[in-house]
């Protein structure tokens, strides 16, 4: 997904793709893309439970943030996420959950005339938000996972983590009566940033170097979607 195009009120241009892979009967991912909000939720719980949790998550998130560009303060995102967590628990009885990550364009000081556009990245779980800026790819979000904690503590190297048997065990999620506390990152917006929001169905199949190569070569978000989407030759389609 491309970042905001230069304009009075920055906005997103986006492309997207989703696929259930070969292991599951249902696609439990849900996505949301508007001119100021991009997000993906990766459902958990099996069968329809994960699909319902991820879809409900993004429905409530979209409703909670409203529809007026450039009028969301960073502090406003916490309350919708708390309500989303509780409603998923109510619907799924604590058995259905979802990860969530994405970015929203906000005004850092929305109540003042000096408000400046910012990019607010949020994350719960192991879905990821990347930033492409100045010809470099940076993973902004930090995985809430068992393997990430082991890397942080020095028990595993990043290379070892890629093949660790329990690398898909997450430590935070929405809807399962677990730690649902989101992490936030507030980034300045210059007008030329590009972001990539994805579930682990992409990040576990396509390495950062290949993603960086594709983003560098293809400037249009729809072109990027075709290169690293479900029909891409770079994916093994195992998820």
């Amino acid at each position: 997904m491309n970042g905001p195009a230069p304009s009075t009120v920055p906005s997103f241009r986006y492309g997207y793709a989703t696929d259930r892979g070969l292991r599951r009967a249902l696609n439990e991912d849900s996505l949301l893309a508007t001119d100021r909000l991009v997000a993906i939720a990766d459902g958990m719980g099996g069968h329809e439970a994960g699909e319902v949790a991820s879809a409900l998550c993004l429905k409530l998130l979209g409703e909670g943030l409203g529809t007026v560009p450039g009028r969301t303060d960073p502090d406003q995102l916490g309350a919708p996420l708390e309500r989303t967590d509780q409603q998923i628990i109510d619907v799924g009885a604590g058995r259905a959950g979802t990860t969530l990550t994405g970015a929203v364009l906000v005004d850092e000081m929305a109540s003042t005339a000096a408000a400046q556009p910012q990019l607010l990245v949020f994350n719960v779980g192991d879905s990821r938000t990347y930033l492409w800026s100045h010809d470099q790819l940076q993973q902004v979000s930090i995985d809430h996972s068992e393997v990430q904690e082991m890397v942080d503590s020095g028990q595993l190297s990043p290379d070892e983590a890629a093949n660790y048997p329990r690398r898909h065990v997450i430590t935070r999620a929405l809807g399962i009566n677990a730690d649902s506390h989101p992490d936030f990152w507030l980034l300045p917006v210059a007008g030329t940033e590009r972001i990539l929001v994805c579930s682990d169905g992409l990040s576990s199949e396509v390495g950062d170097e290949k993603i960086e190569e594709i983003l560098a070569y293809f400037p249009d978000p729809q072109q990027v979607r075709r290169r690293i989407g479900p029909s891409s030759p770079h994916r093994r389609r195992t998820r």
Side-chain angles (χ1 to χ4, degrees):
M1 299 182 180
N2 269 22
S7 63
T8 303
V9 178
S11 61
F12 288 114
R13 290 190 303 116
Y14 51 84
Y16 54 84
T18 185
D19 185 71
R20 67 177 176 84
L22 299 179
R23 292 184 179 179
R24 296 180 180 177
L26 291 174
N27 185 348
E28 295 180 308
D29 291 355
S30 296
L31 58 88
L32 175 64
T34 72
D35 60 354
R36 72 185 187 102
L37 169 67
V38 290
I40 188 167
D42 184 2
M44 306 174 296
H47 301 295
E48 294 184 0
E51 182 183 20
V52 169
S54 64
L56 178 60
C57 173
L58 294 188
K59 176 179 182 294
L60 295 173
L61 180 64
E63 292 174 351
L65 292 182
T67 58
V68 181
R71 296 299 179 187
T72 300
D73 185 271
D75 293 337
Q76 289 179 265
L77 190 55
L81 289 181
E82 289 181 9
R83 290 194 296 270
T84 296
D85 180 42
Q86 187 57 55
Q87 290 196 43
I88 296 173
I89 291 173
D90 293 343
V91 170
R95 295 188 298 271
T98 184
T99 68
L100 172 69
T101 194
V104 59
L105 288 164
V106 303
D107 285 344
E108 186 177 15
M109 298 175 290
S111 61
T112 72
Q116 296 295 320
Q118 306 282 317
L119 190 66
L120 180 65
V121 175
F122 50 90
N123 185 64
V124 181
D126 64 349
S127 293
R128 293 181 178 180
T129 296
Y130 293 87
L131 175 70
W132 169 261
S133 182
H134 303 294
D135 295 326
Q136 291 187 330
L137 182 70
Q138 173 191 358
Q139 181 182 333
V140 179
S141 62
I142 298 174
D143 295 351
H144 299 139
S145 66
E146 182 177 291
V147 70
Q148 184 62 52
E149 291 181 354
M150 295 180 72
V151 170
D152 292 342
S153 66
Q155 298 178 63
L156 289 176
S157 70
D159 289 339
E160 291 171 333
N163 297 304
Y164 184 66
R166 291 172 56 83
R167 63 187 179 278
H168 298 302
V169 177
I170 62 175
T171 55
R172 296 189 205 178
L174 298 172
I176 56 174
N177 287 307
D179 186 353
S180 61
H181 179 70
D183 285 338
F184 297 101
W185 298 264
L186 193 61
L187 308 175
V189 173
T192 57
E193 291 81 5
R194 305 173 71 189
I195 63 172
L196 173 68
V197 178
C198 66
S199 72
D200 67 333
L202 176 67
S203 60
S204 64
E205 298 292 334
V206 183
D208 287 1
E209 290 185 2
K210 179 54 68 175
I211 292 174
E212 188 171 29
E213 177 184 324
I214 293 171
L215 287 171
Y217 192 80
F218 296 99
D220 183 83
Q222 288 292 345
Q223 292 176 317
V224 173
R225 176 196 67 81
R226 287 191 290 269
R227 297 300 298 178
I228 59 177
S231 61
S232 168
H234 303 299
R235 300 192 62 185
R236 299 192 300 272
R237 298 172 58 86
T238 58
R239 185 178 182 279

